[in-house]
Amino acid sequence: MHDDHPGRQTGQDPGADGTTRPGSRRSFIRTGSLTVTAAAIGAAGASALTPSAAAAPTTSVEEARRAGRPVPLTPACGGHETPSAVEGPLFKPESPARTDVVTPGTRGVELVLTGTVYDTACRPLPGTLIEFWQCDQNGDYDTSGFSLRSHQYATGRGTYRLRTIVPRDYTGRWGTRTPHIHVRVQTPGGPLLITQIYFPDTTRAYGRDFAALNAADQFFNRSCLIALAGPTGGAYTGAFDFVVKTTAP
Ligand SMILES: [Fe+2]
């Protein structure tokens, strides 16, 4: 459940998902260039680049799949619907149609997210509308524009691709929110799925402790974890497949 605050859609409140966060800003800083360096990953992440950390996966999910290697945490289609989650107050309709929300002004740790939309019989669903929205590297949502907001239609194979950044945690009306991406999935003629997808405990970005943040978030759902690989060259590759109901026989 959620309670909308229309004013927040117009940028009157700088907070994310409903509550002012000290130091947060009304909209994104639009200067500078995309930062995908160890500095963005954070001091904790940089110091974690030890020999033991170097053993962490460095190949992309796509490479692993092509090589026939298992990808840990990949949410394989087993016919189980992707769980729904609270929409929150900061969804905006009519976002731009695009598969890349990284602009010259975007800062943060890059993420290329891919996946497939399936029905509960694990059949791909071409043409499915997928809408993404998220906060930035500071935990702020763009309430006056459409930064880090987009929609796209699944390809003829039911696949999608989004180039974005890893969002940051924030404190909102529901307390600590671990980094997450909001998603709406609408099959042609089918019911609307509203959900949120999350990052593994081992994710390194902005010097944040994702394990602690995940543990502290009342909405966090491990069945909605992105299968993450990297970072390679400062960028993560992630995979998440959506399984949704349809009205088709
Ligand atoms: Fe959110």
Side-chain angles (χ1 to χ4, degrees), residues 69-88:
R69 295 193 301 272
V71 180
L73 302 177
T74 297
C77 179
H80 301 293
E81 289 175 56
T82 301
S84 62
V86 62
E87 181 177 72

Side-chain angles (χ1 to χ4, degrees), residues 226-246:
I226 297 167
L228 209 59
T232 300
Y236 276 110
T237 302
F240 192 90
D241 295 338
F242 297 95
V243 181
V244 299
K245 283 183 178 176
T246 68

Side-chain angles (χ1 to χ4, degrees), residues 17 141 170 177 180 182:
D17 274 15
Y141 286 82
Y170 59 83
R177 290 309 326 277
H180 59 275
H182 294 270

